[in-house]
Amino acid sequence: MTNTIQGLKPKLLKVKLSDFLEHLKLPDEALNFIFKAKEVAEKQGKFLYLAGGEVRDFLLKRPSYDVDLVIEGSAADFLEELRRNFVFEVLFSSPFLTYKILLPQTGFVVDLVTARGEVYEDVAALPKVYQATFKEDVLRRDFTINALIYGLSPPYPEMIVDLVSGISDLERSLLRPLHLRSFVDDPTRVFRGIRYKVRFKLNYAEEFYQALYQAIEAQAFLKLSASRLRNELLLFVKREGISSLPRLLSECQGFELFSHSGLEVDGEKLVEGLKTLKEFVEILSPREVEDAFLLILAGFKRENLKRLFFPDSVIDRLIKLYEEFRTNLKALLTLPLIERVLKFDKIDKATLIALSLYLPELKEEIERYLFVYSKVYPELKGGDLKELGIKPGKQLGEILKKLREEKLEGRLKTKDEEIAFVKSLLYSVS
Ligand code: CTP
């Protein structure tokens, strides 16, 4: 391996630093950090470069917001010298020879990593890493289009360095892993590849299929830990957004990736679930969208939920709720409105959306709840009732509930009407 690496002849493309930095949408503090880092690397005779997505995005003329700096040689010595010239804070360093650096004025975070090689001792296990040359650092990566680097200091200052025909693959819109065991080592790369395929409208190179076949043979997807599977699938939503979900998931289905990963997913439900998610997206926070996405994928199946790293206590609660609703559907739908609303109040939005998908009889009711009823509250709050002379306790709770019921049924419109209603209640009690 080492001989072939040493023998690789890089293709070089001169790009002025100012031109390269222009596509990185960075605050001045981060730009100044890069300039200083470049100076220190030059002084120490170390090769410093930007790697990964930002070089690919530069060539694709797309903006990029990350800074992934790589230093060949000891990052610790490099940081020590840099610290004498620039104010920053190391948020944390990891056993993977990576550092997260916080720039205090803007709160911008830069990733600095030591050029490293990786050894995968087990299928789908996290690798052991060791300090290595930039060539090894390039060749440990996932796809040729992500293995491009931009040199900041000698021997390749202000140059894109391409050891793996990444530029030509980008030009031909091809997604090619760097070697055929790539997905056996790290099956998350297949999900990443699908994201790149959809995001940049790429085609899979023949090697993609070959590497995928090897990963399936080695049961790499089954061996992938639940937390990594969950995180990777969440990146579909976090990085690509929900409008890309149908295409991303249909790629996964095409390769039967869910079943290879130990998930039992109903394709039709999934398609319907994504439509449902879209309908609700405007009333959900980003976190709720992620939760709903995972629940739609898992359904209320214990094994699926486990595979997607839901804690046991959450799984128990979800399945109990689903069973309770499933077996009492009729009773639930004939409950007085206020009772139904109070039941739904106790359930988070993501779970309600998943319930509306897997118990379609509830769909309309849950829709009405999420879009309308959940927002209907009386103007009078507990404090107002106290001012009207009601002591805190059971009676106050009951009056609030009655007020909400009247409001839900549309019988109270204004605050004055609410006050009159409360007074009438008090009068009838005394
Ligand atoms: N990488 C890899 N294998 C992985 C994860 C990451 O080889 N399983 C490498 C790739 O070279 C990638 C780089 O680490 O380009 C940085 O990873 P990340 O920030 O996740 O991806 P980006 O390429 O920056 O892509 P995105 O635009 O999705 O952030």
Side-chain angles (χ1 to χ4, degrees):
M1 183 78 175
T2 321
N3 281 340
T4 37
I5 294 175
Q6 300 303 350
L8 278 175
K9 234 181 123 29
K11 183 175 171 192
L12 302 174
L13 193 70
K14 191 93 192 124
V15 177
K16 266 180 34 201
L17 181 60
S18 53
D19 291 344
F20 191 86
L21 291 180
E22 205 180 317
H23 96 288
L24 292 174
K25 301 293 170 221
L26 299 179
D28 284 349
E29 190 184 23
L31 291 173
N32 291 334
F33 179 83
I34 293 175
F35 296 139
K36 248 321 154 221
K38 175 174 153 56
E39 261 176 53
V40 170
E42 281 164 356
K43 190 172 152 204
Q44 292 190 339
K46 285 183 171 140
F47 185 35
L48 177 73
Y49 53 97
L50 289 158
E54 46 257 56
V55 188
R56 173 200 69 213
D57 291 344
F58 171 79
L59 290 167
L60 288 171
K61 300 191 171 44
R62 293 172 74 112
S64 197
Y65 304 89
D66 290 342
V67 176
D68 290 314
L69 279 170
V70 188
I71 184 92
E72 202 178 38
S74 160
D77 291 353
F78 172 73
L79 279 177
E80 205 181 295
E81 173 86 35
L82 189 55
R83 204 187 278 286
R84 285 191 221 116
N85 297 278
F86 206 90
V87 183
F88 62 85
E89 192 187 322
V90 174
L91 285 179
F92 66 82
S93 54
S94 83
F96 296 101
L97 311 175
T98 64
Y99 298 81
K100 279 227 174 287
I101 292 171
L102 174 75
L103 305 183
Q105 285 169 22
T106 49
F108 192 87
V109 175
V110 174
D111 285 313
L112 174 77
V113 309
T114 311
R116 63 192 201 258
E118 290 175 343
V119 183
Y120 290 87
E121 289 176 339
D122 269 311
V123 174
L126 287 172
K128 296 245 155 46
V129 301
Y130 59 92
Q131 193 174 314
T133 63
F134 87 90
K135 289 189 177 179
E136 279 177 275
D137 182 60
V138 163
L139 294 177
R140 75 174 168 81
R141 291 172 186 268
D142 51 3
F143 298 102
T144 58
I145 61 168
N146 281 347
L148 297 163
I149 63 174
Y150 178 72
L152 291 164
S153 64
Y156 302 108
E158 305 195 29
M159 282 175 222
I160 291 179
V161 183
D162 180 5
L163 289 169
V164 293
S165 304
I167 297 178
S168 127
D169 281 347
L170 255 192
E171 282 164 357
R172 291 182 299 157
S173 300
L174 277 180
L175 189 65
R176 188 192 313 277
L178 290 193
H179 58 88
L180 297 183
R181 272 189 68 80
S182 180
F183 305 157
V184 174
D185 291 341
D186 182 354
T188 65
R189 289 175 170 168
V190 177
F191 296 102
R192 290 170 62 80
I194 286 175
R195 288 200 284 116
Y196 297 126
K197 179 191 188 221
V198 168
R199 193 194 305 167
F200 303 126
K201 301 194 174 60
L202 305 176
N203 299 304
Y204 303 118
E206 183 52 35
E207 290 89 336
F208 187 97
Y209 297 100
Q210 291 170 2
L212 174 61
Y213 183 70
Q214 289 203 10
I216 294 169
E217 282 279 282
Q219 300 205 315
F221 296 98
L222 272 186
K223 291 177 185 162
L224 182 62
S225 74
S227 66
R228 289 181 69 203
L229 179 63
R230 177 191 176 103
N231 287 338
E232 208 54 47
L233 288 172
L234 278 179
L235 292 180
F236 280 9
V237 184
K238 290 187 192 177
R239 295 267 173 95
E240 315 307 320
I242 76 155
S243 57
S244 299
L245 281 180
R247 274 169 299 152
L248 293 165
L249 296 180
S250 101
E251 292 289 328
C252 291
Q253 298 276 77
F255 293 135
E256 295 183 23
L257 282 191
F258 296 129
S259 76
H260 291 310
S261 304
L263 287 168
E264 202 185 303
V265 174
D266 173 341
E268 277 176 29
K269 275 280 173 220
L270 193 54
V271 171
E272 201 186 322
L274 295 183
K275 284 194 195 130
T276 313
L277 188 56
K278 225 172 157 187
E279 275 169 44
F280 287 107
V281 72
E282 69 195 69
I283 57 161
L284 300 177
S285 67
R287 178 64 204 272
E288 286 166 336
V289 173
E290 291 163 24
D291 290 346
F293 166 63
L294 288 181
L295 286 175
I296 287 170
L297 203 55
F300 290 87
K301 294 191 178 113
R302 184 172 292 277
E303 286 312 309
N304 279 358
L305 291 162
K306 257 185 175 340
R307 196 64 189 107
L308 291 177
F309 206 54
F310 282 83
D312 285 341
S313 57
V314 175
I315 298 178
D316 289 343
R317 182 176 58 74
L318 286 169
I319 290 186
K320 193 166 158 238
L321 186 72
Y322 172 73
E323 282 306 322
E324 183 196 321
F325 276 31
R326 191 179 64 81
T327 47
N328 296 303
L329 267 180
K330 267 219 177 88
L332 187 74
L333 288 170
T334 46
L335 274 180
L337 179 57
I338 179 73
E339 299 302 335
R340 222 156 50 233
V341 167
L342 291 176
K343 250 188 192 310
F344 289 162
D345 275 351
K346 295 197 194 102
I347 305 169
D348 62 279
K349 288 187 194 155
T351 305
L352 281 172
I353 289 169
L355 282 170
S356 82
L357 176 70
Y358 287 97
L359 295 173
E361 298 86 341
L362 287 181
K363 184 158 197 266
E364 259 181 52
E365 204 46 41
I366 288 179
E367 257 173 25
R368 257 194 300 258
Y369 169 79
L370 286 174
F371 284 117
V372 185
Y373 300 149
S374 63
K375 296 174 189 147
V376 177
Y377 277 93
E379 285 181 51
L380 293 181
K381 307 283 170 242
D384 302 312
L385 295 188
K386 278 190 244 163
E387 274 175 29
L388 288 171
I390 304 162
K391 293 207 176 64
K394 198 166 161 233
Q395 190 196 19
L396 191 140
E398 274 167 12
I399 295 180
L400 276 176
K401 181 174 162 186
K402 276 205 163 17
L403 267 173
R404 181 131 185 248
E405 180 171 18
E406 292 302 298
K407 200 86 187 168
L408 281 165
E409 301 283 2
R411 291 191 284 263
L412 293 177
K413 299 268 188 293
T414 64
K415 191 170 178 181
D416 285 344
E417 284 173 5
E418 288 180 20
I419 293 172
F421 176 73
V422 172
K423 285 187 176 157
S424 75
L425 282 179
L426 292 176
Y427 184 70
S428 67
V429 170
S430 54

